[in-house]
Amino acid sequence: MALPHAIMLVALLVACGPALATAASNGTFASCAALPVLNNTCTTVNITSASSSTAEVTLSIGNTTYLKEHYPVGTSQLPYFCLTQSALLSLMSANAELKSYSAYINSLIAQQGYIPKEVYSVCVQVEGQQTTASEWSGCVAVQSVLMCEETSPCLYKGNDSFGCFDLAL
């Protein structure tokens, strides 16, 4: 697929606002939804190589892409990718609700050396994937754990479906 077409496809989905919007075209699946706290969140799955053996998964929140991962299609590898600590900190600084937890997250990093996934994480998973000689299918979900402190309820915790795809190889 030509890159301008892919950008147009994602722009169309972003313009759809709070409703879940999905589209698939020429080896690319894109889906957007308004998630609690994260707001406009989009996932894209596409076939990236001429031999159709590599896929790319992206996660964008607002107008920023926080995750872009490649993996082999048709293998037993479970496509499950989480934002890096750096990406989580960047997301936190760009989001007013998350930003108010900066001191808490910085104290966790100082104490433990990292952000515990049970406190703050955002991940993308391609579930139930199946591959044939001509098609790759699966379903995309975003799993969010947003500021789950021991002494107070989570800002948000959920496993949100972004729909299913059937892409030609």
Side-chain angles (χ1 to χ4, degrees):
M1 174 183 349
L3 185 58
H5 182 70
I7 293 169
M8 192 169 64
L9 180 65
V10 172
L12 171 68
L13 291 170
V14 170
C16 290
L20 179 66
T22 60
S25 173
N26 295 335
T28 297
F29 168 82
S31 181
C32 294
L35 297 184
V37 182
L38 299 178
N39 303 313
N40 193 33
T41 303
C42 297
T43 60
T44 305
V45 177
N46 65 46
I47 305 299
T48 60
S49 67
S51 65
S52 300
S53 62
T54 304
E56 178 181 78
V57 174
T58 62
L59 175 70
S60 300
I61 301 169
N63 293 324
T64 304
T65 299
Y66 290 96
L67 178 117
K68 187 177 201 176
E69 294 285 344
H70 294 86
Y71 71 97
V73 172
T75 67
S76 60
Q77 177 183 347
L78 177 65
Y80 184 79
F81 306 106
C82 296
L83 271 62
T84 63
Q85 181 167 298
S86 175
L88 288 169
L89 292 172
S90 179
L91 173 60
M92 187 171 62
S93 71
N95 180 296
E97 285 184 81
L98 296 175
K99 194 176 215 173
S100 65
Y101 289 84
S102 294
Y104 173 65
I105 293 299
N106 288 335
S107 72
L108 287 176
I109 293 170
Q111 292 169 5
Q112 300 180 28
Y114 63 95
I115 302 171
K117 290 189 183 297
E118 63 275 6
V119 174
Y120 179 34
S121 62
V122 180
C123 303
V124 178
Q125 181 172 6
V126 179
E127 303 166 318
Q129 65 175 341
Q130 296 183 355
T131 308
T132 66
S134 61
E135 185 177 85
W136 176 50
S137 63
C139 299
V140 180
V142 173
Q143 296 150 355
S144 307
V145 177
L146 305 179
M147 307 310 165
C148 292
E149 300 178 67
E150 289 181 16
T151 58
S152 62
C154 298
L155 190 56
Y156 177 71
K157 185 175 184 179
N159 185 12
D160 297 285
S161 174
F162 275 66
C164 298
F165 61 88
D166 292 304
L167 300 177
L169 295 175

